[in-house]
């Protein structure tokens, strides 16, 4: 992307609600919002004073803890550049130089709709979800030797008819993802379905239709 084009949209990028990067096809960072620079200084995410010109893939290697998350993220960004998807959303844990861990939500989508252009860039939106909460210890498995009744019975789980939150045994209302993480120790990665793309990103609806037709 030319410097003149990037400078013309800098104000709009700074106005976005979350920390923002812009990367090119090679992963080179072309723009970093001032909020991200302040955030990285506050939490010590990287020793580098300036991220513009650095390779985002190398930065991901530095502070994303789980190797599988790094691989999924890199593959998904490339799939956007290749026109296989329009938006990618995920959550991952980052390790800071202050010896603490935080959860970030990342959303990636094209800055320019012409994905075939060699100058196509992606916007990387980063939202801090707070420090990592320690997981509850899992109770050891107990085998059933002599069972006159089934080891469990059908249980009704209270779920909100409006927002679909679930009430746990402590009378706390949790999102479905939180409830499953507590009960089953599941790890989630986020994507976005075609229906939500049409609702949230109507400007990409035409491109989505072409992809699905192919």
């Amino acid at each position: 992307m030319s410097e003149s084009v990037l400078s013309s949209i800098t104000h709009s990028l700074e106005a976005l609600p979350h920390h923002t990067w812009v990367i090119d096809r090679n992963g080179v960072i072309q723009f970093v919002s001032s909020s991200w620079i302040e955030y990285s200084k506050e939490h010590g995410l990287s020793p580098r004073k300036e991220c513009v010109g650095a390779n985002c893939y190398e930065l991901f290697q530095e502070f994303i803890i789980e190797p599988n998350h790094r691989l999924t993220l890199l593959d998904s960004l490339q799939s956007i550049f290749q026109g296989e998807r329009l938006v990618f959303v995920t959550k991952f844990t980052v390790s800071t130089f202050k010896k603490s861990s935080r959860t970030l939500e990342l959303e990636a989508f094209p800055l320019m709709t012409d994905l075939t252009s060699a100058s196509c860039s992606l916007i990387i939106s980063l939202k801090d979800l707070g420090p990592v909460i320690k997981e509850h210890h899992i109770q050891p498995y107990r085998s059933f030797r002599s069972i006159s009744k089934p080891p469990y019975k059908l249980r009704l789980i209270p779920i909100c008819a409006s927002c679909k939150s679930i009430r746990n045994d402590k009378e706390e209302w949790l999102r479905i993802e939180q409830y499953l993480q507590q009960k089953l120790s599941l790890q989630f990665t986020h994507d976005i379905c075609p229906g939500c793309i049409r609702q949230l990103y109507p400007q990409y609806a035409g491109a989505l239709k072409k992809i699905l037709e192919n």
Side-chain angles (χ1 to χ4, degrees):
M1 176 184 298
S2 66
E3 293 184 4
S4 60
V5 174
L6 186 58
S7 62
S8 67
I9 61 174
T10 296
H11 181 73
S12 298
L13 293 172
E14 288 284 5
L16 292 177
H18 307 307
H19 314 305
T20 307
W21 299 358
V22 175
I23 67 171
D24 65 13
R25 287 183 176 273
N26 297 317
V28 176
I29 300 175
Q30 301 175 311
F31 168 85
V32 173
S33 65
S34 56
S35 65
W36 172 259
I37 295 176
E38 292 301 319
Y39 178 83
S40 60
K41 288 180 180 178
E42 178 183 357
H43 296 287
L45 282 179
S46 174
R48 308 181 189 199
K49 295 182 179 179
E50 182 59 61
C51 289
V52 174
N55 191 293
C56 75
Y57 303 144
E58 295 177 358
L59 293 180
F60 290 146
Q61 290 285 341
E62 287 183 19
F63 60 71
I64 297 181
I65 294 177
E66 293 292 335
N68 290 337
H69 288 175
R70 294 198 295 263
L71 293 175
T72 299
L73 176 57
L74 300 186
D75 289 344
S76 299
L77 294 182
Q78 288 302 313
S79 70
I80 297 178
F81 279 122
Q82 294 167 6
E84 297 173 356
R85 67 198 308 165
L86 292 176
V87 181
F88 174 68
V89 182
T90 189
K91 295 178 183 178
F92 54 82
T93 302
V94 298
S95 177
T96 73
F97 287 89
K98 294 185 178 182
K99 298 182 180 180
S100 61
S101 300
R102 302 187 70 84
T103 301
L104 290 182
E105 181 178 76
L106 178 147
E107 181 177 356
F109 51 91
L111 176 60
M112 302 178 67
T113 56
D114 184 8
L115 293 173
T116 61
S117 171
S119 60
C120 175
S121 301
L122 295 187
I123 292 179
I124 306 293
S125 173
L126 295 159
K127 177 183 178 182
D128 180 85
L129 301 180
V132 175
I133 300 175
K134 293 183 179 180
E135 297 182 355
H136 298 290
H137 294 293
I138 301 175
Q139 295 295 328
Y141 172 78
R142 297 178 180 178
S143 61
F144 295 88
R145 296 182 178 178
S146 177
I147 302 176
S148 57
K149 298 181 179 180
Y152 57 86
K153 61 181 180 179
L154 181 62
R155 178 187 175 191
L156 297 178
I157 299 176
I159 184 169
C160 176
S162 177
C163 70
K164 305 305 180 184
S165 295
I166 295 177
R167 191 180 73 217
N168 64 11
D169 297 334
K170 298 180 180 180
E171 299 298 319
E172 300 170 329
W173 288 94
L174 306 175
R175 298 194 310 271
I176 292 178
E177 297 98 318
Q178 293 176 308
Y179 184 83
L180 293 177
Q181 284 174 337
Q182 284 188 3
K183 292 296 183 180
L184 303 178
S185 299
L186 296 177
Q187 183 68 40
F188 290 90
T189 183
H190 287 73
D191 207 331
I192 186 166
C193 70
C196 288
I197 288 179
R198 295 187 184 95
Q199 181 180 356
L200 299 175
Y201 304 96
Q203 65 272 32
Y204 299 136
L208 173 65
K209 182 177 180 181
K210 292 180 181 179
I211 293 173
L212 295 177
E213 289 176 349
N214 293 334

